[in-house]
Amino acid sequence: MANRLIAPLLYPVVLLRREWHRLLDRFLANRSGPFSESIRLHSSLVYILPTRAGMIFTILLLVLLIGSINYTISLGFMLTFLLAGLGNVAMLMTWRNMAGLKLKGMGAKPVFAGEVAKFAIQLENDTNDRRYAITLPNDSMPDETVDIPSGELVLLHFNCHTKSRGLLNPGRIRIETEFPVGLFVAWTWVDLDMRALIYPAPSGKKNTTVPVSCQSGEGLAEGSGLEDFAGLNKYQAGDPWQRISWKMVARTDELFSKKFTGGQPELEWIDWFVLDEASVERRLSIMSAMILDAQKAGRLYGLRMPNIEIKPDNGAQHRHECLKALALYNIEDTSHVH
Amino acid sequence: MSTEGRKLWALLVGILLVSGPFFPRIPLPVTALSLIMTLWIAAIILNKARQPDKLQRIGLLLLAVLIMSLSFGTLLGRDAGTGFLILLAFLKMLEINGKRDMYIVVYVDYFLIASHFFHAQSPWIAVYVFAAVIYLTSVLILFTDKASTLDTRKRLTMAGRMIFQATPLMLILFLLFPRIPGPLWGLPEDAQAAVTGLGNDMSPGSVSSLIQSEEIAFRVRFEGEIPPHADLYWRGPVFSRYDGQTWRADNTSRHIKVNLIGSESETDIIQYTVTLEPHRRNWLFALNYPTNLQGSGYRLTRELQLLNPKKINSVTRYSVTSDRKLSNYSLFESERLKNLRLPGVGYLNEKTIALARRWRTLAGDDDRRVIEEALRYFREQPFVYTLNPPLLGNNAMDDFLFETQRGFCEHYSSAFVYLARAAGIPARIVAGYQGGEKNPVDQYLIVRQSSAHAWAEVWLDDVGWVRVDPTAAVSPDRIESGIQDAIEERDQLPGILLAGDSIFLKARYHWDSFSYRWDEWVVGFNQDRQFELFRKLGFENADWQGMVIGMVILFILVGAFVGFWIFRQGEGIYQDPVKRAYDRFCYKLAKAGIGRNNTEGPSEYFSRLRGKLAPASAQTAGDIIDRYTVLRYGTAGSPAQQKHFIKRVQNFTARLK
């Protein structure tokens, strides 16, 4: 009832807020990036406002001032003005603590949709002063706060929840500091032009009839098989990790892959065209699950998509290539993918 | 220790730092409760106890209110308010929860610092304020130092530096902020601390109780020589009504405006400036007869008292011209009657009246002869000047004059006035201070409470009011040289009145000289002083508008300077242009895949570069690195050379793209 009465009264406030955000966005749009390279926080990128503690501090100063006038206490004036001076110094120091830092977006490791993408930002302090208590506020994890000594690089992280596959843009990032006294907060708001690659969430039908279309001889070295152990080879990128000889690792500190001969290596194509599923996203999810499955089982698998075909293989890099292909299916702007 | 624990310890120390000095002054139960809560808080921090739950908190609050109302009878006012604030600070500490509460505790601490000023505003207090503010600032730094990299010493150093940087801003505001004369509204009764000083009335003991006090009543700077000790009768309140026990002031003629005209001969004029410590009364002290005074609002009454319209609640400075002789003063008939009146039945002191009548008969019409007789009586009878007179009965004068004969100046002056009135001579008591202590370091006079005195004035038709000091008849030393030579029980005098070691004495005078200036320029800094300061600086027509404008301009200028100072700690954000150009050069090469390692010096880098670049580019890059080594590590190049270097780097990097 009360809400219904008050809501119309608040409507202008809502409008004003909306308008304010629009103006703020326009203001920031021109200055806050995106910066794909390292960006130095110039004065125009560092904003500062009193914190709530700072506003209460102002009220405290007013009360002290009025008290001093009323009781004609000279030292009261002195205390009031000393604290006012302190507030000024604090403002300058807080701003100074943020200005001049260099920021660089370091991106995030690929994750599956629904997981949390963890972005990293590199902060570089090439000035002569230590920077204290620089904070990256986080929604889903405790705020990360670091000191950056002069001449050092430090990484700060933040989490983003992901919903759908593709490229996730975290948008503008806020980095702030209240150092030294918490009366002011200085912050920057920049777009560091980062994207996280989001694989389609692996889903459901993992073990249902996997429509594998087998074709022998593609992409495989002659004579290699899966059944009879035939010795060790030095590990090469792309060798499935299931074949690493852990005994040898323990003995020599080097990686060797077990070599097999004989038999036909299990080989499968994860094929867009044979999947019987109408929804594109569902289809991608199922394929994602199949990739994981094949990878885990140590099978050799290839990926066939309308726009790309990846030859069968097994390994972390291969897995990534395949999942990336799924993630970026039908996504136009892929300029941020490395 | 956990971060939270460190913060709480720091806060607890902060509260104790600002409330500790109050503990001896506030009622014992308040102190006791504070200390108990301190222990409790310490136990909570050490995980030996839990925070009080809601019920316990309410209980504690009720207990605090109860203690306050039993001790003070109120929660309002200065002392009670301070005590309550202390308890509230501890209570808040007990239930602290999060950053916001911590800030609240620090803010309460700031108020507690300010509460000290009600009691004293000495230089020591100023030092204490700075120390406390630095400490509290270091606590705030602890709150924001989330990476916990600063230890206590570093935090204190940083806080000290911040306060040092804030001080110029404070000075500007202190000197230029318009000092609106207070109070803005009525002050509570106990707004100001109780002070020692002369009261509104006088009864036996009221002056002698002041003799024990070393506190300073006022300081005086004379234009020219300091008059001899025996002439320094600082007139304060005048008492003309006597009820047999107590002398009181008569306020009936206060509204009458008086303009005195002195003889105006050079030798009779004394000019001086008094810096009066707050005594919570209206009167000002002056030598006879104040004919001219500077400053607004002061008034001279028919009783030749100087009055200020408001009570003197802060250090007050006024300049007076006194004239030893007056040329225009008469006595109204009502005043004559008033100054002849004796108390009613029961307090008549018949023997005293008889004595006075006897002198009158002897002297006939000659008032002076009566006065002579009275003084001779004091001189010849075995009177003793003492701080410990026996108690007197209802007929106080009879008891004193004929039996005990031991007393202090209030006894002698009141007995004398009584005798004079009984003999038909208008007489009254004047209280004030007699003498003073010369500060040889700075040539001014220090008048302490211990110089409090009371004497008599009688009306002689041919000359007007004449000062008579019967104490001088009993103990001439008191007037000639001061209290320390006059009193018999020397061990009862405070140490300060006894002559001490000369080095100690000299140091004391230096300190007093400093305190005097402190009182004049800091504690007593008000609108008048502000304008005076500007006149001294050459701004003849300073007004407050100009002052505000000046304040804002200066604040911005000094603020900019302080800002510059803060930003230049270390070398600042932007390195020199040569370094910047070189950085760009390295950056471009890094992009081309030949980055410089952080540990690599220029020459090492070059040897690595040479293999990877086209020969022409390698040549240029080598030149650039060589130039850089010279510019940066050799003699600093001329601006032209620097410019050339930068240009070269720009060309190189442009081609590299």
Side-chain angles (χ1 to χ4, degrees):
Chain A
M1 184 65 198
N3 269 342
R4 247 191 300 164
L5 283 176
I6 291 168
L9 296 176
L10 286 179
Y11 190 62
V13 180
V14 173
L15 274 185
L16 276 176
R17 265 179 78 105
R18 204 174 294 162
E19 185 63 10
W20 160 245
H21 280 290
R22 210 176 56 79
L23 282 175
L24 192 69
D25 250 22
R26 219 169 60 186
F27 172 75
L28 288 171
N30 292 330
R31 55 171 61 214
S32 68
F35 302 107
S36 52
E37 288 177 18
S38 170
I39 168 74
R40 192 189 286 281
L41 296 180
H42 292 282
S43 52
S44 59
L45 285 175
V46 180
Y47 317 107
I48 188 163
L49 274 180
T51 57
R52 195 160 68 163
M55 297 199 209
I56 300 173
F57 186 78
T58 316
I59 297 170
L60 167 110
L61 288 187
L62 279 179
V63 174
L64 278 177
L65 181 66
I66 291 169
S68 302
I69 293 172
N70 200 41
Y71 290 87
T72 326
I73 300 175
S74 216
L75 288 197
F77 283 106
M78 195 185 82
L79 175 67
T80 312
F81 298 149
L82 184 64
L83 291 178
L86 177 68
N88 266 277
V89 170
M91 180 178 73
L92 292 167
M93 282 183 76
T94 307
W95 190 84
R96 172 78 179 84
N97 196 37
M98 181 61 89
L101 279 176
K102 278 164 95 175
L103 260 57
K104 191 177 175 194
M106 303 299 279
K109 278 203 183 114
V111 291
F112 292 95
E115 289 180 348
V116 170
K118 191 171 187 186
F119 284 90
I121 294 168
Q122 175 189 282
L123 289 91
E124 181 185 354
N125 177 13
D126 62 355
T127 63
N128 288 337
D129 306 316
R130 188 186 184 90
R131 305 308 178 98
Y132 296 91
I134 307 282
T135 303
L136 180 63
N138 266 300
D139 293 334
S140 54
M141 61 187 241
D143 294 354
E144 216 175 321
T145 300
V146 288
D147 276 14
I148 312 169
S150 171
E152 290 195 16
L153 298 170
V154 171
L155 288 182
L156 277 174
H157 304 91
F158 67 96
N159 288 348
C160 266
H161 288 291
T162 61
K163 279 191 199 126
S164 53
R165 66 164 182 106
L167 287 171
L168 175 70
N169 179 1
R172 273 194 289 270
I173 294 141
R174 183 184 162 108
I175 295 176
E176 62 181 34
T177 183
E178 292 187 3
F179 195 83
V181 286
L183 301 181
F184 289 90
V185 56
W187 76 96
T188 187
W189 233 347
V190 284
D191 185 343
L192 293 175
D193 204 24
M194 292 189 283
R195 298 290 187 279
L197 183 65
I198 314 296
Y199 304 144
S203 107
K205 290 185 177 173
K206 263 192 274 179
N207 290 320
T208 55
T209 50
V210 183
V212 178
S213 56
C214 281
Q215 283 171 347
S216 66
E218 273 197 6
L220 279 177
E222 286 290 317
S224 64
L226 289 169
E227 275 158 25
D228 302 321
F229 179 69
L232 291 168
N233 273 349
K234 214 161 187 190
Y235 176 83
Q236 284 178 326
D239 285 352
W241 60 269
Q242 286 89 347
R243 291 198 210 159
I244 290 171
S245 161
W246 297 107
K247 274 186 207 154
M248 286 304 288
V249 173
R251 231 180 289 158
T252 64
D253 261 0
E254 274 186 89
L255 291 174
F256 289 91
S257 292
K258 291 176 209 162
K259 213 168 92 182
F260 295 89
T261 54
Q264 191 66 359
E266 224 178 311
L267 178 72
E268 68 186 61
W269 278 100
I270 297 166
D271 195 333
W272 169 271
F273 298 101
V274 281
L275 263 175
D276 179 25
E277 173 64 56
S279 148
V280 170
E281 295 305 318
R282 290 277 304 149
R283 197 182 290 214
L284 290 172
S285 280
I286 294 168
M287 289 171 80
S288 169
M290 286 162 65
I291 289 172
L292 293 187
D293 219 35
Q295 171 73 25
K296 202 173 165 193
R299 295 193 296 265
L300 294 172
Y301 57 94
L303 183 71
R304 195 169 285 144
M305 297 283 293
N307 55 345
I308 192 169
E309 188 178 292
I310 299 173
K311 287 176 180 169
D313 201 350
N314 188 303
Q317 185 59 36
H318 178 65
R319 170 181 175 268
H320 169 68
E321 291 297 332
C322 295
L323 288 171
K324 187 169 101 181
L326 297 185
L328 296 180
Y329 176 68
N330 264 1
I331 286 180
E332 276 158 24
D333 176 20
T334 54
S335 57
H336 289 84
V337 181
H338 307 294
Chain B
M1 196 192 311
S2 73
T3 329
E4 239 14 45
R6 276 176 59 188
K7 289 180 190 171
L8 292 177
W9 277 126
L11 273 177
L12 186 60
V13 171
I15 295 193
L16 290 174
L17 182 71
V18 294
S19 63
F22 284 111
F23 286 162
R25 270 203 298 264
I26 54 181
L28 193 62
V30 180
T31 310
L33 187 57
S34 305
L35 293 178
I36 289 169
M37 287 199 280
T38 304
L39 292 178
W40 192 344
I41 293 161
I44 291 172
I45 303 173
L46 294 172
N47 272 327
K48 297 275 194 301
R50 268 182 312 175
Q51 284 198 333
D53 57 31
K54 200 172 178 186
L55 211 64
Q56 285 170 317
R57 287 209 299 271
I58 293 172
L60 273 171
L61 186 64
L62 287 179
L63 183 65
V65 172
L66 185 73
I67 284 181
M68 294 311 295
S69 26
L70 287 182
S71 311
F72 292 102
T74 169
L75 291 180
L76 303 172
R78 181 181 52 98
D79 286 337
T82 307
F84 200 50
L85 207 56
I86 291 173
L87 290 182
L88 283 181
F90 280 105
L91 275 169
K92 192 79 213 165
M93 270 302 285
L94 272 177
E95 56 150 17
I96 216 154
N97 180 20
K99 186 175 132 184
R100 190 167 144 262
D101 285 357
M102 293 190 183
Y103 273 90
I104 288 176
V105 172
V106 172
Y107 292 167
V108 171
D109 287 351
Y110 285 134
F111 275 110
L112 284 174
I113 295 177
S115 307
H116 286 286
F117 306 144
F118 287 124
H119 297 277
Q121 298 191 59
S122 68
W124 294 121
I125 294 282
V127 173
Y128 168 76
V129 168
F130 270 83
V133 170
I134 286 175
Y135 180 78
L136 291 177
T137 306
S138 84
V139 175
L140 293 182
I141 293 176
L142 179 62
F143 292 171
T144 54
D145 177 28
K146 289 175 193 156
S148 299
T149 44
L150 295 167
D151 58 21
T152 310
R153 204 176 57 87
K154 279 196 192 132
R155 278 188 285 116
L156 282 172
T157 315
M158 186 179 273
R161 203 178 62 206
M162 289 177 77
I163 294 301
F164 186 58
Q165 287 162 340
T167 305
L169 299 170
M170 177 203 81
L171 284 176
I172 288 170
L173 291 174
F174 187 85
L175 292 175
L176 291 172
F177 189 86
R179 294 300 183 89
I180 304 151
L184 300 172
W185 62 83
L187 298 176
E189 264 310 296
D190 70 341
Q192 308 292 339
V195 289
T196 45
L198 294 166
N200 272 325
D201 50 36
M202 190 190 84
S203 47
S206 55
V207 177
S208 52
S209 66
L210 294 179
I211 298 298
Q212 315 279 349
S213 166
E214 316 173 0
E215 270 176 48
I216 286 165
F218 51 92
R219 297 185 180 88
V220 194
R221 201 183 285 282
F222 288 91
E223 309 269 319
E225 288 285 292
I226 299 180
H229 200 272
D231 283 356
L232 296 173
Y233 279 86
W234 302 100
R235 292 178 92 255
V238 174
F239 304 124
S240 46
R241 279 166 45 200
Y242 185 55
D243 61 3
Q245 297 287 314
T246 306
W247 290 89
R248 290 178 210 283
D250 182 288
N251 295 334
T252 47
S253 58
R254 277 216 170 158
H255 58 280
I256 300 171
K257 221 177 156 193
V258 180
N259 270 319
L260 293 183
I261 299 173
S263 67
E264 286 174 2
S265 81
E266 290 266 320
T267 51
D268 288 333
I269 286 176
I270 314 167
Q271 279 179 299
Y272 50 95
T273 302
V274 178
T275 307
L276 180 60
E277 296 293 314
H279 59 50
R280 323 286 182 239
R281 311 281 182 198
N282 291 81
W283 57 73
L284 307 171
F285 296 92
L287 296 171
N288 257 351
Y289 299 90
T291 52
N292 188 8
L293 48 143
Q294 283 163 18
S296 52
Y298 304 131
R299 218 148 41 86
L300 188 64
T301 68
R302 284 287 298 172
E303 290 174 320
L304 306 181
Q305 266 196 82
L306 274 183
L307 290 182
N308 192 47
K310 283 177 191 165
K311 288 185 176 165
I312 306 289
N313 283 328
S314 54
V315 173
T316 304
R317 204 163 157 272
Y318 55 93
S319 296
V320 189
T321 306
S322 285
D323 205 316
R324 287 197 178 88
K325 295 196 187 87
L326 278 189
S327 57
N328 66 333
Y329 198 77
S330 61
L331 194 65
F332 299 156
E333 195 50 34
S334 64
E335 290 174 322
R336 175 184 295 277
L337 289 176
K338 187 172 83 185
N339 285 306
L340 283 171
R341 196 167 294 145
L342 294 177
V345 186
Y347 302 97
L348 255 185
N349 298 298
E350 275 150 13
K351 280 158 87 179
T352 308
I353 292 175
L355 180 68
R357 294 243 167 95
R358 199 155 65 239
W359 290 337
R360 172 52 83 192
T361 333
L362 256 166
D365 279 349
D366 190 355
D367 288 347
R368 283 192 170 78
R369 180 82 189 281
V370 177
I371 293 162
E372 291 285 310
E373 285 295 334
L375 291 177
R376 196 167 73 211
Y377 182 80
F378 282 122
R379 238 184 342 261
E380 290 176 355
Q381 294 282 322
F383 281 97
V384 177
Y385 187 56
T386 172
L387 276 174
N388 287 326
L391 283 175
L392 304 173
N394 272 354
N395 287 301
M397 298 303 154
D398 285 358
D399 292 352
F400 173 64
L401 285 173
F402 304 106
E403 281 162 39
T404 67
Q405 299 198 325
R406 296 167 68 84
F408 203 64
C409 56
E410 60 261 44
H411 297 85
Y412 294 100
S413 55
S414 55
F416 177 84
V417 170
Y418 202 96
L419 284 165
R421 286 187 178 183
I425 306 167
R428 63 190 183 192
I429 286 180
V430 181
Y433 297 88
Q434 206 284 314
E437 182 184 347
K438 206 184 288 182
N439 187 335
V441 176
D442 206 7
Q443 292 304 316
Y444 62 88
L445 197 74
I446 309 163
V447 180
R448 296 176 190 280
Q449 295 297 344
S450 54
S451 299
H453 192 46
W455 60 91
E457 276 181 354
V458 293
W459 177 263
L460 299 178
D461 284 329
D462 51 342
V463 284
W465 286 108
V466 175
R467 179 179 68 227
V468 180
D469 189 354
T471 313
V474 180
S475 172
D477 289 344
R478 168 74 170 85
I479 309 306
E480 294 299 330
S481 50
I483 186 80
Q484 57 268 55
D485 296 326
I487 211 86
E488 295 201 334
E489 306 97 337
R490 287 185 58 112
D491 54 338
Q492 287 190 4
L493 287 170
I496 199 145
L497 290 182
L498 302 168
D501 172 48
S502 69
I503 295 171
F504 170 73
L505 214 73
K506 207 169 169 196
R508 200 165 63 82
Y509 281 127
H510 273 289
W511 174 250
D512 189 81
S513 174
F514 174 69
S515 307
Y516 182 22
R517 276 154 207 270
W518 177 264
D519 274 2
E520 273 188 304
W521 285 104
V522 180
V523 179
F525 194 76
N526 55 18
Q527 215 169 26
D528 293 344
R529 291 304 261 173
Q530 252 176 339
F531 289 127
E532 193 185 322
L533 181 73
F534 286 104
R535 276 195 297 277
K536 276 187 182 168
L537 290 176
F539 299 98
E540 282 299 329
N541 302 316
D543 55 8
W544 68 266
Q545 289 97 332
M547 228 144 62
V548 169
I549 293 168
M551 179 181 78
V552 171
I553 291 172
L554 261 178
F555 194 88
I556 290 170
L557 282 180
V558 174
F561 176 75
V562 169
F564 185 69
W565 183 10
I566 290 170
F567 290 176
R568 291 299 297 187
Q569 282 161 11
E571 243 175 49
I573 303 173
Y574 301 108
Q575 299 129 335
D576 70 314
V578 171
K579 173 89 163 66
R580 206 159 49 187
Y582 183 68
D583 281 351
R584 187 165 171 71
F585 168 74
C586 294
Y587 174 73
K588 285 291 177 187
L589 283 173
K591 261 187 99 177
I594 326 160
R596 184 169 70 93
N597 296 330
N598 266 343
T599 50
E600 241 171 3
S603 52
E604 289 167 83
Y605 183 37
F606 177 59
S607 56
R608 202 159 56 83
L609 256 185
R610 203 154 31 180
K612 300 198 179 176
L613 279 174
S617 298
Q619 184 61 41
T620 324
D623 280 357
I624 287 175
I625 293 173
D626 281 350
R627 281 310 300 161
Y628 177 70
T629 318
V630 171
L631 283 175
R632 180 93 177 148
Y633 301 105
T635 49
S638 68
Q641 280 173 310
Q642 293 189 354
K643 227 176 231 166
H644 178 70
F645 174 78
I646 293 162
K647 190 86 198 151
R648 210 154 164 196
V649 171
Q650 278 167 355
N651 286 339
F652 179 79
T653 50
R655 241 182 301 135
L656 209 64
K657 242 182 229 169

